[in-house]
Amino acid sequence: MKNPLSESDFESVREKAYALRHNYFDDMDKHLLNLEASLTKKGLDVIWMKDTASLYDIVGAIVKKLNARRIAFDTEIPFESKYHHIADVIPVEQVENSSDDIDLLVVNADFAVCDSGSMVFLDRKSKHCFNKTKNMVIIVNVDQVIANQQDISFFIALKYLAKDPKMPKDVKVIKNQLQYVFPSHLSFISDQVISQEAMNISVILYLNDIGDIISSDLMRESLYCIQCGQCL
């Protein structure tokens, strides 16, 4: 797939991205409350976390609450070493190639959209594992939140502008509560009989001490970076 921004005037692309980021961060509290309302309306649990330490704590608490024995991580934060004493941490590649389900998948969303409550996953290693668990924790970094659904295609293209390939090969979007499908206890009667139930999904809005960055005029400018790779 060709990146629609590849032949665009880069300066105009950068100006549009800067304006959209500026609009979001200038009214971030309102946008995040809209996102929380959209997610809650869909039946998802929303948890606010301020920093990495509290993030480790809440994921550990969820693992214990679920009595999860087999868990997998697809995140930018190094969780794996934190939970070996309470569960088996399974590499997502092994989950993908196994017929066995896991008790919990923890995954980063690449983007979340405020007005639609959608969460977007791009070329995640766990892309084939979403149907192998009935419990998910989705981590949303608040600096990767987009105010309006109409802008998501632009930001995906922008994220891949300096990459090869120029567009993601796999895009997953969670718009509504997912269903976990599993063999029914009546499956001995017919191979076609299956059951399904709503998945347990917790969404963590991860602030990562962003308040300290916003309060600094110098550091605040870093939030408007569009990560296009053009300044390298």
Side-chain angles (χ1 to χ4, degrees):
M1 182 186 300
K2 185 176 180 180
N3 191 309
L5 302 182
S6 297
E7 298 177 2
S8 302
D9 173 56
F10 180 71
E11 193 60 33
S12 64
V13 170
R14 185 165 61 179
E15 289 177 0
K16 177 180 178 179
Y18 185 89
L20 290 172
R21 297 283 284 173
H22 217 290
N23 172 68
Y24 167 70
F25 284 112
D26 282 354
D27 219 349
M28 187 180 70
D29 289 349
K30 183 191 78 172
H31 290 307
L32 289 177
L33 288 173
N34 287 342
L35 175 60
E36 179 185 34
S38 297
L39 294 170
T40 302
K41 187 177 181 180
K42 297 176 186 210
L44 307 181
D45 293 327
V46 179
I47 307 168
W48 297 72
M49 286 291 111
K50 180 179 184 295
D51 53 29
T52 305
S54 58
L55 185 62
Y56 285 142
D57 288 343
I58 191 61
V59 171
I62 291 172
V63 171
K64 292 178 180 178
K65 179 181 178 181
L66 295 172
N67 195 26
R69 297 304 181 195
R70 290 167 48 83
I71 58 179
F73 294 93
D74 183 7
T75 67
E76 282 68 58
I77 300 170
F79 280 100
E80 289 82 354
S81 63
K82 298 290 182 180
Y83 307 110
H84 279 294
H85 63 292
I86 57 175
D88 292 329
V89 178
I90 314 296
V92 290
E93 296 85 358
Q94 184 176 329
V95 176
E96 179 179 349
N97 296 320
S98 172
S99 59
D100 296 328
D101 287 358
I102 53 176
D103 299 313
L104 176 66
L105 173 65
V106 182
V107 59
N108 263 110
D110 290 277
F111 295 110
V113 186
C114 294
D115 60 355
S116 65
S118 301
M119 290 170 288
V120 182
F121 306 83
L122 307 174
D123 289 333
R124 302 304 306 188
K125 291 187 296 183
S126 59
K127 59 181 178 284
H128 298 304
C129 303
F130 285 29
N131 63 337
K132 292 196 171 186
T133 182
K134 61 180 179 180
N135 301 297
M136 286 182 68
V137 171
I138 300 172
I139 300 172
V140 174
N141 295 312
V142 298
D143 62 345
Q144 297 300 313
V145 172
I146 299 169
N148 301 306
Q149 180 70 33
Q150 65 186 23
D151 297 320
I152 185 62
S153 297
F154 173 80
F155 275 101
I156 290 175
L158 190 65
K159 185 180 181 74
Y160 278 76
L161 188 57
K163 295 184 178 182
D164 185 21
K166 295 296 185 183
M167 289 296 284
K169 294 181 179 180
D170 182 87
V171 179
K172 283 185 169 45
V173 181
I174 293 181
K175 296 181 178 179
N176 295 295
Q177 178 70 274
L178 297 179
Q179 298 293 314
Y180 174 66
V181 179
F182 56 95
S184 167
H185 66 286
L186 298 177
S187 58
F188 67 90
I189 298 176
S190 169
D191 291 338
Q192 303 302 314
V193 178
I194 59 173
S195 298
Q196 63 181 27
E197 62 183 36
M199 289 179 62
N200 299 313
I201 299 179
S202 297
V203 179
I204 297 178
L205 299 182
Y206 180 40
L207 300 173
N208 197 17
D209 290 319
I210 198 170
D212 296 336
I213 299 176
I214 290 178
S215 62
S216 167
D217 291 340
L218 179 62
M219 296 179 65
R220 184 186 178 97
E221 284 297 313
S222 67
L223 295 173
Y224 305 140
C225 172
I226 59 177
Q227 301 178 7
C228 60
Q230 295 298 311
C231 60
L232 299 179

